[in-house]
Every structure is written in structure tokens, then in C-alpha cells.
Amino acid sequence: MVLHVMASGLILAAALGLARRAAHPYEVRVRTLEEWQRFLRHLMPLIEWKRVALAQAVSEAGRGLPHLERAMERLGEELRDPDTELHAAWNGLLASLPGLWGEDQPVLSELGRVLGTSDADHQHNHLEAAVRDVGRLVEEARRARSRDGRMLPALVSAVGMMVVILML
Amino acid sequence: MGPWQYLPNPWRQALMDLPRDRSATLEEIRFRIGRPVYLYGTGWTSPLSHAEAPAAISAAEIERVIEVLADHSLYARADEMRQGYITLPGGHRVGIAARAVVDGGRVVTIRQITGLNMRVGRAVKGPGEQLLDLLAARSVEDGSWLLVSPPRGGKTTLLRDVVRILSDRGRRVVVIDERSEVAGFGGAGGFGHDLGAHTDVLDGWPKADGIEAALRTLGPDVIAVDELGEGRDLEAVWRARYSGVDVLATVHARSLEEVKARPSYRPLLARDGFSAAVVLAARPVPGTIRQLWTSWDVS
């Protein structure tokens, strides 16, 4: 009996762990995209009003954002090298961020293609479009989190409970 | 630091590999679509030849070069680009040949860049002393002076040196540096050239607005301004003169007669707006004094 209880406890813990693991990508995607939203809102005045050079602007806009801060600092440093190709460096940054999904990459990659290549009015339009698109992605990510991101963990937990009941 | 430091490779390396005598006398680097990159030095011209560099430059490569020179931040350089140039830290100017987009008679932006002219800015110490000695010999030790020369005649270099000397002699000088060429503004890194101990720089200010701001707030003895235009610029110069401030200015022209032929400049010379005018020539070396006129000559 003691063995059964211990095994049940282990199975329950494993099921809960698996459930959390299943929910993790959904949660991280939402958080990462929300940070991108904040990053873009910080970036807009730096480009449109202060006209800060891009290397400095991305570093400043990324400050205080746990997922983006280090990546943006690194991008800022890379941009100070005259041999850096902006779009390639930007895409490298996107590939190195763990929270983004396949459908998020093209939207952000497109922003990297046009960032810094035109006057402040055009940059405003590009940034506004990016804020809109990222806003849409955030909504999608939240919906996916509440739909699949909660159902999957519940399913895994239920299976765990069933196994425990059968065992006992 | 030479302006080539701001270029991407292979151009940066090709220019860094130039023989020392060439890089020391290099004045301009010209990029033109479909042509070799050309170097123009004091008394020599040569295509840039390097194993890594292509024989001719493409439109895409010119776009890449300008993006890198503008730190991937064309939005921060749009005002300069509308006027056909950008300035690099150290006072090096990059002229841009491109198609203008005009709206309501005003250039709103440029596109289809076809050429770049990178001018090497250098601080040369010494010619200012010579000029001041010459003026002192003509009893014009203080006052307002106009430096006259065609492009590449050495006006800005001489202006920079005279500013440094006057400033180090204790006169409070304000430089209105619309194109960042005189002081060589380098962003947060400060200025690229030594302008003396008593000099303030109004970087990026349009000349007329800068002169007004300097008069109101900085209490100058001398205001220095590069490449005077017409209209508002000259009105601002008069206001400075009426306020008892000396003006040290440069203007594009081949001779004093050409300056006097401009109706707006004639009163400045005739009514003591400027007490001396110095005409410079590009040969045998930029900054050669070809003619010296003082208000004493007409009185």
C-alpha cells in the first residue's frame, strides 16, 4: 500500500510537471510578444522625436525588458561595426530569441528590413504597422494560451489522476 | 581619424592600405554608380585599385555605403540629406548626388543615389598665424573678416585655425557649425577638432538662427560661421555687427570682385560689415592667400 501511495505521488508530480511543460511555450510566447509591444512603444519616440541613432535606440528601448534587453544590447554593439548588415543581424536576433513562434518571425523580420532606411515620417508608419501587427499576434497568442495552453495541461493532469485512481 | 574608418569593407580596407604619401594628401573619395572609385589628392588623381574592391561600384553597394555612413539611421540624417550631404564625426563631409523629390517647390527628400563625394576634413595648424600676421601688418588686428574661395580652396581649414588662435588668445568665440564641418562634432564623443579654450559650438544650427541664439545667450566677442548664404544669413550678420560682435565668415567665390558683384554683399564690404576680406586659392596648395583686402584700402 505504501508503495502504491508513493508511486501515485510520483505519477501525480510527473503529470503536473508535464502539464506545466506543455503550457510553457504558450506562456513564453505571450510574454515575449508583450515585451516586443513595449519595446516598439519605447522605440517610437526615440526614432521619431529624439532621432537617436539606431544602435543606441534599440539598446535604450530594450532596457528593463527581461527577454529582450541583452539581445538588443548585443544588436546595438553589432550595429556599431560598419561591416554589420542590419537585416541579417536583426534576423539573427530573432532566431536567437526562444519565445517566438514561426508565425511571429515574418512580422518582426519585415520590421528589421525597413528599420532606419527612411525619414522619420516613414519610420513612424513602419513602426505603427509593426505595433498593430504585434498587437494582433499578442491577441492570437493569448487566445492560444487560454485554448490550447490550458487544455493540454488539464488533459495531462487528468490522465495522471486516472492512472493514480486505477493504481489505487 | 580618416573618414574611411566609417566605410564598410572592402572600401575601408582598400583605403587603409593606401601608401602613406597618398593617404596624407587625400582630399576626396568619389563613388559613382558603374564607375571605379576615384581618389583625388593634392596634385594627383587615381582610381582606387585593391584586390578586394570591385572595379566598379553598383547602385546597391552605394545604398549600403550610405546606410552604413548614416549609422543605419537615415531618419536622423534626413534634414542633412535633403540638403545633399551628411557629415561624419571629425568634420568629414559626404556630398550626395541623387534625384530630388520636390513638393511645393521644396526638396522633401532624395532618392536614387548615384554618387557620393567623401571630403576629408583636416585640421591644419599654422596658416591662421600667417593670416593674423598679415592682417596685423595692415593694422587690422581685430574686426570682422571674410574668407573667400571657390570650393576646396581651404576656407574651412583656415577658419578653424583662426578660431583656435583667437580663442586661445582669450576672445570668446561662438562657432555656428550648421554642417558640423568646423568643429567635427562626433555625437556624445565631443568635437573632432581643437577650437581653443574659449570656444562654444552651436552644432547643426541654421546660420541665421544660430547667430541670433549666440547673441542672445552666449555673449560672444566673435561669431564664426562657415559658408554664408544670402538673405537671412546676411541680416543676422548685420545684427551681430550692430551688437558690437565681430564676425568671421567664409563665402564661396573665386575673387573679391565676384563677391562685390552680389548686391547683398556689397554693403557689407562698403559699410564696414567686414573690415578685411581674404581671397584664397586651391593651388599650389589649398589655403594659399591670393588677395588681401582691408577696409583701409577704400578709405
Side-chain angles (χ1 to χ4, degrees), chain B residues 107-268:
Chain B
V107 178
V108 287
T109 188
I110 56 170
R111 63 190 176 93
Q112 293 172 343
I113 295 172
T114 56
L116 301 174
N117 173 24
M118 199 172 220
R119 285 184 61 185
V120 181
R122 283 199 177 87
V124 181
K125 291 185 178 177
E129 294 280 5
Q130 265 182 323
L131 175 64
L132 292 177
D133 289 346
L134 271 173
L135 288 167
R138 304 277 286 268
S139 307
V140 191
E141 292 188 44
D142 285 326
S144 292
W145 306 332
L146 186 64
L147 309 179
V148 180
S149 92
R152 299 185 304 280
K155 292 182 300 293
T156 307
T157 308
L158 185 57
L159 177 77
R160 195 183 289 134
D161 200 35
V162 173
V163 164
R164 179 184 61 81
I165 295 163
L166 293 179
S167 173
D168 281 342
R169 288 181 182 176
R171 300 194 77 192
R172 279 164 291 194
V173 186
V174 176
V175 177
I176 316 299
D177 200 4
E178 186 171 2
R179 294 175 181 176
S180 308
E181 278 190 293
V182 182
F185 183 61
F191 299 106
H193 300 299
D194 173 16
L195 294 180
H198 302 282
T199 301
D200 293 299
V201 179
L202 293 183
D203 183 79
W205 284 68
K207 287 177 266 282
D209 296 332
I211 292 172
E212 293 286 348
L215 289 173
R216 275 201 308 270
T217 61
L218 293 171
D221 298 321
V222 181
I223 291 177
V225 54
D226 197 18
E227 295 185 12
L228 265 187
E230 305 263 342
R232 286 187 68 223
D233 287 2
L234 299 187
E235 286 167 22
V237 168
W238 276 119
R239 267 194 293 282
R241 298 295 293 126
Y242 290 143
S243 308
V245 174
D246 289 335
V247 176
L248 192 55
T250 73
V251 68
H252 275 303
R254 270 176 302 188
S255 66
L256 197 57
E257 287 64 40
E258 273 190 14
V259 180
K260 286 178 177 171
R262 298 177 198 171
S264 52
Y265 275 84
R266 214 174 297 145
L268 272 169

Side-chain angles (χ1 to χ4, degrees), chain A residues 72-100:
Chain A
M72 287 301 169
E73 260 175 28
R74 209 168 44 241
L75 177 68
E77 277 161 26
E78 280 178 43
L79 290 182
R80 289 185 177 96
D81 176 355
D83 292 326
T84 298
E85 209 270 298
L86 171 60
H87 197 205
W90 182 266
N91 284 340
L93 173 142
L94 293 180
S96 72
L97 289 174
L100 295 174

Side-chain angles (χ1 to χ4, degrees), chain A residues 68-144:
Chain A
L68 293 183
E69 184 166 8
R70 286 178 69 181
M72 287 301 169
E73 260 175 28
R74 209 168 44 241
L75 177 68
E77 277 161 26
E78 280 178 43
L79 290 182
R80 289 185 177 96
D81 176 355
D83 292 326
T84 298
E85 209 270 298
L86 171 60
H87 197 205
W90 182 266
N91 284 340
L93 173 142
L94 293 180
S96 72
L97 289 174
L100 295 174
W101 289 16
E103 56 263 48
D104 307 329
Q105 303 260 358
V107 168
L108 294 167
S109 174
E110 174 59 18
L111 175 64
R113 194 180 64 76
V114 295
L115 207 55
T117 58
S118 55
D119 65 16
D121 290 342
H122 286 92
Q123 289 293 295
H124 171 80
N125 295 340
H126 292 311
L127 286 165
E128 242 184 14
V131 166
R132 258 198 320 273
D133 288 343
V134 172
R136 180 178 50 77
L137 290 173
V138 168
E139 288 307 314
E140 274 176 28
R142 283 181 187 148
R143 272 200 301 275

Side-chain angles (χ1 to χ4, degrees), chain A:
Chain A
M1 186 64 191
V2 176
L3 208 65
H4 271 196
V5 171
M6 277 175 67
S8 305
L10 278 174
I11 287 168
L12 265 179
L16 285 173
L18 276 173
R20 283 186 70 178
R21 209 182 162 86
H24 187 68
Y26 295 92
E27 190 58 45
V28 174
R29 183 190 180 205
V30 170
R31 272 194 239 143
T32 307
L33 285 170
E34 282 172 348
E35 279 195 16
W36 272 99
Q37 235 179 351
R38 285 204 291 279
F39 169 78
L40 292 173
R41 288 201 188 107
H42 293 171
L43 190 62
M44 284 176 89
L46 291 171
I47 285 181
E48 291 169 33
W49 292 98
K50 289 192 171 180
R51 315 261 168 118
V52 174
L54 194 60
Q56 192 188 335
V58 292
S59 301
E60 276 187 33
R63 260 178 225 152
L65 303 174
H67 287 86
L68 293 183
E69 184 166 8
R70 286 178 69 181
M72 287 301 169
E73 260 175 28
R74 209 168 44 241
L75 177 68
E77 277 161 26
E78 280 178 43
L79 290 182
R80 289 185 177 96
D81 176 355
D83 292 326
T84 298
E85 209 270 298
L86 171 60
H87 197 205
W90 182 266
N91 284 340
L93 173 142
L94 293 180
S96 72
L97 289 174
L100 295 174
W101 289 16
E103 56 263 48
D104 307 329
Q105 303 260 358
V107 168
L108 294 167
S109 174
E110 174 59 18
L111 175 64
R113 194 180 64 76
V114 295
L115 207 55
T117 58
S118 55
D119 65 16
D121 290 342
H122 286 92
Q123 289 293 295
H124 171 80
N125 295 340
H126 292 311
L127 286 165
E128 242 184 14
V131 166
R132 258 198 320 273
D133 288 343
V134 172
R136 180 178 50 77
L137 290 173
V138 168
E139 288 307 314
E140 274 176 28
R142 283 181 187 148
R143 272 200 301 275
R145 180 179 62 182
S146 42
R147 194 180 57 232
D148 306 331
R150 284 185 189 150
M151 199 171 71
L152 262 175
L155 213 67
V156 174
S157 307
V159 169
M161 290 287 281
M162 241 170 67
V163 172
V164 168
I165 290 165
L166 286 174
M167 277 179 70
L168 291 174

